[in-house]
Amino acid sequence: MWLKPEEVLLKNALKLWVTQKSSGYFILQRRRGHGDGGGRFTGRLVGALDAVLDSNARVAPFRILLQVPGSQVYSAIACGATAEEINQHWEWLEQNLLHTLSVFDNKEDIVSFVKGKVKALIAEETSSKLAEQEEDPEKFREALVKFESRFNFPEAEKLITYYSCCCWKGKVPRQGWLYLSINHLCFYSFFLGKELKLIIPWVEVQKLERTSNVFMTDTVRVTTANKERDFSTFLNIAEAFRIMEQLADVTLRRLLDNEVFELDPGLQDPTQITKRLPRKEKLHEVVDCSLWTPFSRCHTAGRMYTSDSYICFASKENGCCTVIIPLREVISIEKMEDTSLLPNPIIVSIRSKTAFQFIELKDRDTLVEKLLQRLKEVNSSNPLHCNNLQNNNQNSLAFGSMCMLGDDEPVCLGTEASHGKERSECENENNYLLNAEALRSDFHQSGMPGLDFGKSREQIKESLWDDHFVEYGRTVCMFRTEKIRKLVAMGIPESLRGKLWLLFSDAETDLASHPGYYVHLVEASMGKCCMATEEIERDLHRSLPEHPAFQSETGIAALRRVLTAYAHRNPKIGYCQSMNILTSVLLLYAKEEEAFWLLVAVCERMLPDYFNHRVIGAQVDQSVFEELIKEQLPELAEHMKDLTALASISLSWFLTLFLSIMPLESAVNVVDCFFYDGIKAIFQLGLAILEANAVDLCNSKDDGQALMILSRFLEHVKNEESPLPPIGNHHAFFSDDQEPSPVTEIANLIHDSYEKFGDHSVEQIEHMRYKHRIRVLQSHEDTTKQNVLRVVIPDVSILPEDLEELYDLFKREHLIRCYWESRSAVSERHDPSRPYAEQYRIDARQFASLYRLLSPWTCGEHTDLLAHRTFRLLDDNMDRLIEFKGLASCLDVMYNGEMNEKIKLLYKLHIPPALTENERDSQSPLKNPLLSTSRPLVIGKSNGDAVDYQKQLKQMLKDLAKEKDTKTEKELPKMSQKEFIQFCKTLYSMFHEDPEENDLYQAIATVTTLLLQIGEVGQRSISLGSGSDEFTEDLQPEASASDQDAVFTDTVKTPHKDSQPSPVTEGDWTVSFEHILASLLTEQSLVNFFEKPVELKPKLENAKLHQYSLRTNGMSCQSRTEHAKPSMQ
């Protein structure tokens, strides 16, 4: 098959490949060990290595290289599994290319031509293979069945794709199958009788990279906290790696950054065009087609993207042509007659009396049917807009007027479709009178000397743009080509700037789709006080204070309304510093409501995750910027070993789009490029600035000097063509009396940025973001972990390394359940905005799972009951969630506590709130005759004598009473008889299967009988103190024997008809914690049991091995049971 041309060094390949044929520009090679009958040792070694690999994953034994005469660098352009296959490719090259190449004079042109031809062949092969897979999904179904049976995940764990590959275990490759699902990377191999199962959650991946090892030149390395795993011999390693990146990125953001993402592989195609669509848009179809482009008078090959509310087109040649068509602008979608010149055509007509012709559409009828259905849904969701289509076809988005509405309707901006009553209410709302024009219009400074040149330049620019609109369109549906990028780089005219910002960002569609939305937000938000509004008020007068528009209440009031309305719309972001500077500039060039929707576009689409308390998006882009510096400016990177200093300097460039550190008249040109090209424009401009100052930066002595160099340079970036008077920058570092720096023209700086650093596409930047977002998010997770451990370590005796492993288990338990639960349940338990110790929390079921794995108190079937009681005890605030500190403190008592602390914990687990009313009334299992109080209690001594212990009971009670008086600690509530029975049940369960089981049972029987009699003594003494003459001070066990036996045989026996349930009185049976502790201390076997040292580490190691399998198996069974219930009914 044909390969995407990739350079190889022939010198390093001679040991593995043998040349069989060669021509002027091509070489056909065979891999050693294939087809040569064994041969030498090298051939046998290579052949043996290839033989153990699966047939679908072997290195192809034949390949064709493109050679450049006089160079040691070759490019692989084809490979084949058999000699026949590779010979077919060779014959094609000889028949179709060899004769053509002779017409080229330049060797570079030959290489470029051949590579282009091969890429076209690959595109044809790929499209045919995709079609074949869609028509025959049986292979995928078979793989899905194997995935489910091998890993036993719940049904919610969707398989995305699978590959045949090798997993390297040391120096040994294990051939098997790699399964990529929404939450996990899984590998299965059965080789030489050994089974290997590997499960790596995406959320634990710390690094994904393509690398090489001693044996393989191209592998995918997956790095987690504890291990590195290498996977190789993919048939298409680039595709596999791209999907891994996307899955890791989506999962990490969904689980660690608390973001809402629906996994839609189509939407993960990070093209320039799909990045402009709203985040909620769901991509439905991606179809190859051609679009008629009138400016080039031909059909341009490309790809159509259709989503809920858009039809988009992007040419195959990057930057040639893109089109965005909101369905709300569409009037009709029609099929045309199919001809040989126009195969499978459709016509999309829009409101501005323009039509788009698409041809070569596969499955045209189905596509048109779906588009018409979506068009109907869009129109039905906005019927007023639908009615206005016929009345206002040509004026709504035209540039003829700078206002969306007439000038006589300045107040109800965007509410022209509202009822008359709503309109009058809006007009009467004088407190929130919205600006009907951009602030630039109200505060335009005219008549100043020296501005005539700038005005004439503006007129020339306006003329160029008018010509462009005539040829390419003037609405949101315009053809976007390289020509418009050049016009933008020159600087948009002042009169068109706001409107073009709306079109380029697609805020125009948001504005038109939400009539009255901003007005209602303003009414709902103004006057309310919260942290966001306090911060907004503090920053209002710091926003462009040098501009006259913000030296008046008009500008300040508009800024307040926009920022407050946005904080009300998106409380997750609320208000962040730098939003005020950006919004101030938006208000200068756009009407108030338009400025609001521009802010929405920037914060929620164009700079995602920039404006929040963790600024994850900005940190990711700073890491990407560092990588670009290393790649594009290696000398500067070599001099400045630590690029984090440059990254910290450049952070404000990204957060404020250079508005805070450049003169305003220059910075708005940067904003022009940003709205057209997105963050790519900021990256390339940042590189151009560093390159312009590279010499000075290399000579700088420290970070402070580097900061001064860049700040001085940016302060002197001027815009000589601007018609506006120069406005000083209050963020400047230098005063006017310092030595002047050379002036740099902003147009030249932007031109250099496109010429030298504009070759990075949006797709490349997005792939770099994938890699660095993993690192940034995992870095935040490490910070959280270290801060939690720092808080917990002083309060427990668990070793720090064991506590760290315990935290990992706690977090993993949280995540395992998050994989397949509803989004609301996940967000309740994980909130990155909370304090570190409260970010991860688990519920009762998760706690019970960890308790079974980690607790030293195993009680058989009673374990789950004890786990839920422990959870209720730790859940102080009754929110049904506990934090890591609660788990750690509980285990610390179990493993490292003194005996009295362990008994106190057990005691607390058998009184409210840990013990519930239902559990207290459960039937007692204690029917052992050893517990009868009808016989005297005797204690055996070592010399064989027996002593009646009952005589010592009163003395023990007196001693305990004295100790109680001396204690200052809050006294624990006394335990009732029913609670005590549950306490005994727990003790019996704990001793099961212990080596000293018989001795422990005898001891606990003795202690239990003693405690029952102590409780009886207390009960009688209280009754005696209340004035009863029925009892004497002496113990009378015989008199109460029948009653006590009744308690132990059936604690929930129905009372006799004649008897009435007695209310709780002061004479009820109770026993205190001190009684229980003192009684237990009398039995050495019990003391030994509770003071026996137990190691936590073996439990942690076992939990790491079995936590995942136990939880996934349990959830899988639960999922299938729940799934089966409806069918059984």
Side-chain angles (χ1 to χ4, degrees):
M1 68 175 185
W2 299 105
L3 301 176
K4 181 180 178 181
E6 293 185 355
E7 292 184 352
V8 296
L9 289 174
L10 196 59
K11 179 179 179 182
N12 295 338
L14 290 176
K15 295 180 181 179
L16 299 177
W17 298 89
V18 179
T19 300
Q20 289 193 321
K21 294 182 182 179
S22 65
S23 65
Y25 294 94
F26 302 104
I27 297 176
L28 190 153
Q29 292 184 327
R30 172 181 52 79
R31 190 168 174 83
R32 290 184 185 274
H34 291 272
D36 55 1
R40 298 181 180 179
F41 174 75
T42 305
R44 289 198 298 272
L45 177 63
V46 176
L49 179 63
D50 290 347
V52 300
L53 303 180
D54 185 276
S55 59
N56 292 326
R58 295 175 189 168
V59 176
F62 300 94
R63 69 178 182 181
I64 297 176
L65 304 178
L66 167 66
Q67 70 171 27
V68 181
S71 173
Q72 287 294 318
V73 179
Y74 294 70
S75 298
I77 60 172
C79 68
T82 64
E84 292 77 10
E85 180 185 358
I86 204 68
N87 283 328
Q88 287 179 1
H89 290 330
W90 184 265
E91 290 173 5
W92 189 92
L93 291 171
E94 287 183 330
Q95 295 172 7
N96 296 278
L97 284 188
L98 278 181
H99 302 295
T100 309
L101 298 182
S102 59
V103 302
F104 292 94
D105 297 328
N106 192 332
K107 296 177 183 178
E108 294 179 357
D109 292 341
I110 293 175
V111 173
S112 177
F113 175 77
V114 173
K115 287 183 176 181
K117 200 70 178 175
V118 171
K119 288 179 181 178
L121 293 171
I122 292 172
E124 292 180 9
E125 269 190 359
T126 303
S127 60
S128 63
K129 284 182 180 178
L130 289 174
E132 184 180 340
Q133 288 177 4
E134 291 171 0
E135 292 169 3
D136 184 20
E138 288 301 321
K139 287 186 177 180
F140 186 83
R141 285 203 195 98
E142 182 183 344
L144 181 60
V145 170
K146 290 181 178 179
F147 170 71
E148 291 175 346
S149 63
R150 288 168 176 171
F151 299 99
N152 201 26
F153 285 123
E155 292 181 5
E157 184 68 15
K158 302 299 183 185
L159 178 65
I160 301 301
T161 188
Y162 63 99
Y163 298 95
S164 173
C165 69
C166 275
C167 176
W168 289 81
K169 194 173 182 180
K171 297 181 180 180
V172 180
R174 294 290 299 266
Q175 178 62 35
W177 292 94
L178 183 72
Y179 298 92
L180 305 181
S181 64
I182 58 174
N183 295 303
H184 302 87
L185 178 152
C186 304
F187 180 81
Y188 179 84
S189 172
F190 188 82
F191 186 67
L192 297 178
K194 292 184 179 180
E195 186 181 59
L196 172 66
K197 284 185 182 180
L198 181 65
I199 299 176
I200 303 176
W202 292 119
V203 76
E204 294 183 10
V205 173
Q206 295 190 341
K207 186 188 290 186
L208 269 176
E209 56 185 338
R210 287 178 68 174
T211 182
S212 59
N213 59 27
V214 178
F215 303 98
M216 291 293 169
T217 57
D218 203 357
T219 64
V220 173
R221 176 166 294 169
V222 181
T223 304
T224 60
N226 303 317
K227 277 191 177 180
E228 290 182 348
R229 296 282 186 178
D230 288 345
F231 300 90
S232 64
T233 61
F234 293 88
L235 197 59
N236 189 341
I237 192 170
E239 176 193 283
F241 183 71
R242 178 176 59 84
I243 294 177
M244 286 182 189
E245 277 188 324
Q246 293 176 359
L247 288 170
D249 177 71
V250 170
T251 307
L252 282 164
R253 296 173 75 181
R254 177 167 56 89
L255 295 176
L256 300 187
D257 203 23
N258 214 19
E259 291 288 343
V260 179
F261 285 92
E262 289 187 12
L263 185 64
D264 182 353
L267 270 182
Q268 296 305 310
D269 182 13
T271 60
Q272 172 75 28
I273 199 157
T274 56
K275 291 294 287 181
R276 292 306 173 91
L277 303 186
R279 274 190 172 187
K280 293 182 180 179
E281 282 294 302
K282 183 177 180 182
L283 199 62
H284 293 289
E285 292 93 17
V286 179
V287 186
D288 287 333
C289 65
S290 294
L291 171 66
W292 174 257
T293 48
F295 53 87
S296 61
R297 300 187 180 278
C298 68
H299 284 91
T300 300
R303 185 169 290 171
M304 176 190 287
Y305 301 83
T306 65
S307 68
D308 296 332
S309 307
Y310 291 83
I311 300 173
C312 303
F313 174 85
S315 60
K316 289 185 178 179
E317 184 181 346
N318 191 29
C320 175
C321 174
T322 58
V323 177
I324 298 177
I325 308 173
L327 285 179
R328 66 176 306 279
E329 301 298 321
V330 175
I331 296 175
S332 65
I333 302 173
E334 301 171 316
K335 292 181 286 187
M336 291 176 58
E337 183 181 354
D338 187 6
T339 66
S340 58
L341 294 177
L342 299 175
N344 297 326
I346 67 169
I347 296 290
V348 179
S349 302
I350 63 173
R351 295 167 59 187
S352 56
K353 294 187 175 180
T354 306
F356 295 90
Q357 182 189 76
F358 297 91
I359 64 170
E360 299 174 345
L361 286 159
K362 183 183 177 183
D363 200 5
R364 176 185 64 166
D365 295 344
T366 304
L367 177 64
V368 170
E369 182 180 346
K370 291 179 179 178
L371 288 175
L372 288 173
Q373 178 62 31
R374 281 180 221 132
L375 178 61
K376 182 179 179 181
E377 292 171 359
V378 168
N379 290 335
S380 63
S381 64
N382 194 357
L384 295 172
H385 153 71
C386 185
N387 293 335
N388 289 334
L389 285 181
Q390 292 114 16
N391 303 328
N392 242 344
N393 277 350
Q394 56 197 16
N395 297 327
S396 297
L397 291 177
F399 278 96
S401 169
M402 290 304 295
C403 303
M404 280 292 293
L405 304 178
D407 294 335
D408 58 337
E409 296 178 319
V411 179
C412 295
L413 203 61
T415 58
E416 69 273 17
S418 302
H419 298 294
K421 180 180 178 181
E422 293 176 349
R423 183 186 300 275
S424 63
E425 289 176 359
C426 185
E427 288 172 350
N428 292 333
E429 193 64 58
N430 293 326
N431 292 333
Y432 306 134
L433 187 67
L434 307 186
N435 290 342
E437 296 294 338
L439 293 178
R440 182 187 63 84
S441 322
D442 298 334
F443 295 91
H444 182 64
Q445 297 176 338
S446 58
M448 295 187 66
L451 298 181
D452 293 339
F453 171 74
K455 289 181 179 179
S456 64
R457 294 289 299 175
E458 283 289 290
Q459 291 170 356
I460 294 172
K461 288 182 182 179
E462 289 174 2
S463 176
L464 291 172
W465 276 97
D466 287 338
D467 293 341
H468 183 83
F469 293 146
V470 171
E471 188 172 3
Y472 295 88
R474 61 173 62 239
T475 71
V476 70
C477 307
M478 67 170 66
F479 291 98
R480 308 180 189 210
T481 66
E482 190 62 33
K483 184 177 179 182
I484 199 171
R485 179 180 279 115
K486 293 178 180 178
L487 287 174
V488 170
M490 292 168 56
I492 298 175
E494 296 280 312
S495 59
L496 298 178
R497 180 165 277 135
K499 182 58 67 175
L500 286 173
W501 286 358
L502 283 168
L503 294 184
F504 293 155
S505 64
D506 198 37
E508 182 77 76
T509 301
D510 290 333
L511 172 67
S513 302
H514 298 83
Y517 176 81
Y518 175 67
V519 174
H520 294 312
L521 268 185
V522 171
E523 292 173 352
S525 61
M526 293 303 291
K528 293 186 177 179
C529 185
C530 61
M531 185 179 295
T533 56
E534 292 174 2
E535 294 176 351
I536 289 170
E537 289 298 325
R538 187 173 61 246
D539 286 348
L540 283 176
H541 295 278
R542 304 175 186 173
S543 310
L544 296 187
E546 66 278 4
H547 197 286
F550 298 99
Q551 295 169 0
S552 71
E553 185 55 32
T554 303
I556 294 296
L559 181 60
R560 178 187 292 113
R561 287 193 293 270
V562 173
L563 291 175
T564 306
Y566 185 78
H568 189 75
R569 163 190 165 86
N570 191 344
K572 183 177 179 181
I573 291 178
Y575 169 77
C576 296
Q577 285 191 344
S578 76
M579 287 173 66
N580 59 319
I581 298 173
L582 175 61
T583 308
S584 301
V585 176
L586 298 178
L587 283 167
L588 289 179
Y589 292 97
K591 290 175 279 187
E592 187 174 323
E593 187 174 13
E594 295 172 343
F596 169 79
W597 286 111
L598 283 169
L599 183 63
V600 170
V602 171
C603 293
E604 298 176 13
R605 293 201 299 271
M606 303 186 73
L607 293 178
D609 305 327
Y610 263 60
F611 301 98
N612 53 44
H613 79 288
R614 299 205 300 175
V615 290
I616 293 292
Q619 292 184 53
V620 171
D621 282 348
Q622 291 309 294
S623 296
V624 173
F625 192 51
E626 288 183 36
E627 183 177 343
L628 290 173
I629 293 172
K630 295 175 183 176
E631 179 185 314
Q632 301 287 337
L633 304 171
E635 293 182 2
L636 179 61
E638 180 67 23
H639 174 76
M640 303 190 73
K641 299 292 184 183
D642 185 9
L643 291 176
T644 54
L646 281 181
S648 62
I649 294 172
S650 63
L651 180 60
S652 62
W653 303 356
F654 289 80
L655 284 173
T656 66
L657 308 179
F658 289 93
L659 290 168
S660 64
I661 35 82
M662 258 190 203
L664 179 62
E665 64 273 13
S666 302
V668 290
N669 283 32
V670 179
V671 180
D672 294 341
C673 299
F674 168 75
F675 275 117
Y676 186 77
D677 268 322
I679 197 64
K680 172 179 179 287
I682 307 301
F683 278 120
Q684 62 194 33
L685 185 63
L687 292 172
I689 291 169
L690 293 180
E691 189 208 34
N693 294 274
V695 176
D696 292 336
L697 289 173
C698 287
N699 294 329
S700 63
K701 298 177 181 178
D702 52 39
D703 298 342
Q705 189 175 356
L707 173 61
M708 292 177 66
I709 291 169
L710 291 172
S711 300
R712 182 186 290 271
F713 175 84
L714 291 167
E715 184 188 357
H716 290 85
V717 175
K718 304 297 182 183
N719 186 358
E720 301 296 339
E721 298 180 357
S722 174
L724 299 178
I727 297 175
N729 193 323
H730 75 292
H731 300 279
F733 280 77
F734 305 99
S735 57
D736 295 336
D737 58 351
Q738 288 184 309
E739 181 182 349
S741 293
V743 173
T744 303
E745 180 63 32
I746 183 62
N748 296 335
L749 190 60
I750 291 176
H751 178 268
D752 287 346
S753 74
Y754 275 101
E755 286 293 318
K756 297 178 180 178
F757 307 107
D759 54 345
H760 282 88
S761 65
V762 175
E763 294 90 334
Q764 290 171 316
I765 290 175
E766 196 63 24
H767 284 306
M768 294 169 77
R769 278 176 163 176
Y770 289 156
K771 176 173 66 176
H772 291 286
R773 190 179 287 113
I774 292 173
R775 186 189 62 78
V776 169
L777 284 174
Q778 294 292 13
S779 174
H780 276 271
E781 289 300 300
D782 289 342
T783 301
T784 299
K785 177 179 176 179
Q786 295 306 319
N787 280 284
V788 172
L789 294 178
R790 187 160 50 247
V791 171
V792 176
I793 284 175
D795 297 334
V796 299
S797 301
I798 301 174
L799 295 175
E801 56 269 25
D802 291 345
L803 197 64
E804 187 172 347
E805 291 187 7
L806 180 62
Y807 179 87
D808 292 337
L809 289 169
F810 180 88
K811 178 181 170 183
R812 181 181 294 177
E813 188 65 36
H814 157 81
L815 292 171
I816 288 174
R817 193 156 180 82
C818 290
Y819 293 147
W820 307 295
E821 275 197 355
S822 65
R823 184 65 208 161
S824 59
V826 175
S827 59
E828 287 175 4
R829 285 194 287 274
H830 178 223
D831 185 357
S833 64
R834 295 173 67 91
Y836 288 117
E838 302 175 14
Q839 287 190 13
Y840 286 107
R841 296 176 292 171
I842 58 175
D843 62 16
R845 192 183 302 177
Q846 294 168 302
F847 178 83
S849 175
L850 283 177
Y851 188 93
R852 286 193 296 270
L853 289 167
L854 297 172
S855 173
W857 296 348
T858 53
C859 307
E861 296 179 357
H862 196 63
T863 303
D864 281 350
L865 188 61
L866 199 62
H868 282 88
R869 289 177 188 168
T870 309
F871 180 85
R872 286 193 291 271
L873 179 65
L874 297 174
D875 184 18
D876 296 330
N877 57 1
M878 307 292 287
D879 64 350
R880 300 183 180 180
L881 298 170
I882 66 165
E883 301 154 8
F884 172 71
K885 188 174 182 179
L887 173 67
S889 61
C890 174
L891 290 177
D892 185 52
V893 172
M894 293 179 179
Y895 281 95
N896 303 313
E898 300 290 338
M899 179 177 175
N900 62 324
E901 293 175 330
K902 295 177 181 178
I903 301 303
K904 182 180 287 187
L905 176 59
L906 276 172
Y907 185 90
K908 289 179 179 179
L909 294 178
H910 295 84
I911 58 175
L915 189 75
T916 62
E917 191 66 31
N918 292 336
E919 292 175 338
R920 193 185 303 156
D921 292 339
S922 64
Q923 184 172 355
S924 170
L926 306 180
K927 299 180 181 179
N928 195 308
L930 288 172
L931 301 181
S932 173
T933 60
S934 61
R935 58 185 178 83
L937 178 64
V938 294
I939 304 297
K941 287 191 172 183
S942 57
N943 58 6
D945 297 334
V947 176
D948 187 350
Y949 197 66
Q950 292 187 13
K951 294 180 181 180
Q952 302 180 24
L953 288 178
K954 284 190 290 182
Q955 183 62 39
M956 182 184 293
L957 291 173
K958 291 178 182 178
D959 294 340
L960 289 171
K962 291 179 181 179
E963 291 181 12
K964 192 183 302 181
D965 293 338
T966 61
K967 287 188 177 180
T968 58
E969 184 180 351
K970 184 178 178 181
E971 184 179 355
L972 291 171
K974 289 188 176 182
M975 184 178 283
S976 70
Q977 192 175 64
K978 292 179 180 178
E979 292 165 352
F980 176 70
I981 290 171
Q982 293 297 321
F983 179 82
C984 295
K985 179 180 178 180
T986 299
L987 291 179
Y988 267 81
S989 302
M990 289 172 63
F991 302 150
H992 184 58
E993 295 184 357
D994 189 275
E996 306 295 329
E997 183 177 356
N998 291 333
D999 291 342
L1000 290 169
Y1001 279 162
Q1002 178 67 36
I1004 197 61
T1006 302
V1007 169
T1008 302
T1009 305
L1010 172 63
L1011 285 168
L1012 284 169
Q1013 295 185 4
I1014 290 175
E1016 191 175 305
V1017 170
Q1019 180 182 17
R1020 292 177 181 177
S1021 62
I1022 292 173
S1023 299
L1024 185 62
S1026 63
S1028 173
D1029 296 324
E1030 296 181 35
F1031 299 100
T1032 64
E1033 203 175 30
D1034 295 330
L1035 292 172
Q1036 299 179 13
E1038 294 80 12
S1040 59
S1042 59
D1043 295 336
Q1044 292 296 331
D1045 286 340
V1047 169
F1048 280 89
T1049 54
D1050 189 0
T1051 60
V1052 291
K1053 183 180 293 185
T1054 305
H1056 194 272
K1057 290 183 179 179
D1058 297 335
S1059 66
Q1060 297 294 328
S1062 58
V1064 177
T1065 65
E1066 291 183 353
D1068 281 346
W1069 189 100
T1070 58
V1071 66
S1072 70
F1073 165 69
E1074 290 79 6
H1075 293 153
I1076 292 176
L1077 178 60
S1079 301
L1080 292 172
L1081 289 172
T1082 63
E1083 293 292 331
Q1084 189 61 43
S1085 59
L1086 294 176
V1087 173
N1088 294 340
F1089 176 83
F1090 282 105
E1091 289 189 347
K1092 179 173 59 179
V1094 184
E1095 291 290 330
L1096 175 60
K1097 190 175 289 293
K1099 286 278 189 178
L1100 292 172
E1101 294 297 328
N1102 178 68
K1104 284 193 292 185
L1105 293 175
H1106 297 98
Q1107 177 188 22
Y1108 218 84
S1109 59
L1110 290 174
R1111 295 292 286 114
T1112 52
N1113 289 345
M1115 294 198 71
S1116 179
C1117 295
Q1118 179 188 351
S1119 172
R1120 291 190 176 95
T1121 303
E1122 292 174 354
H1123 209 67
K1125 284 180 181 178
S1127 62
M1128 293 170 62
Q1129 292 175 349

